[in-house]
Amino acid sequence: MDEYLWIKYAHILGATVIFGTGIGTAFQMWAAHRSRDVRGLALVTRNVVKADWIFTTPAVLLQPLTGTVLAVSAGYGLHDRWLLGAILLYGLTGLCWLPVVWIQIKLRDLAAQAAATSQPLPAAYDRLFRWWFVLGVPAFGSVLVIFHLMIQKPTF
């Protein structure tokens, strides 16, 4: 397999990790949140934060590198609107994801404190969770549109 295909493989794998880890951890967070079980929430939020550092962060860093090599190798540039759109949506996803990472850390800490003291979740937890959810909607939507742009390469 030539170098281009290895880079393409890495790019697709990175996109899969970003979306797969994101949807998996989002489901776990949502299910744990709905349960209101502070011990379960403490465990899930701890694991979600770990998953973001172990899986999502490296994939997020890999995508622009592999994407740039692929685009340049294939002769695409920013004059290709589908590529520019994908880059802008990737930026939007990042602008949503960065505060989500911070929120997840705060949710983890609040859930751990509630579990350690056998107290219910504080109101701050619910406010932060709403923001976590609101920021997740455009992030996931953007990734789906990026997939479409990468596959179809539409002309506008």
Side-chain angles (χ1 to χ4, degrees), residues 33 103 107 123-136:
H33 172 78
I103 289 169
L107 293 173
Y125 175 90
D126 291 309
R127 282 192 302 276
L128 285 168
F129 188 85
R130 280 191 293 276
W131 276 109
W132 176 85
F133 185 84
V134 165
L135 289 166

Side-chain angles (χ1 to χ4, degrees), residues 3-57:
E3 184 177 317
Y4 179 85
L5 290 179
W6 280 110
I7 295 168
K8 189 174 186 178
Y9 178 78
H11 193 69
I12 292 168
L13 184 60
T16 303
V17 167
I18 290 169
F19 189 74
T21 303
I23 200 101
T25 57
F27 173 77
Q28 290 299 312
M29 285 280 285
W30 178 256
H33 172 78
R34 296 208 15 110
S35 78
R36 305 304 284 182
D37 173 10
V38 293
R39 287 182 301 176
L41 271 167
L43 176 63
V44 168
T45 54
R46 184 172 63 241
N47 287 335
V48 165
V49 169
K50 282 182 190 176
D52 258 354
W53 289 115
I54 294 168
F55 301 109
T56 310
T57 300

Side-chain angles (χ1 to χ4, degrees), residues 136-155:
V137 171
F140 275 112
S142 292
V143 171
L144 292 175
V145 175
I146 291 168
F147 283 156
H148 169 74
L149 293 172
M150 292 288 114
I151 293 166
Q152 296 295 322
K153 297 175 183 54
T155 57

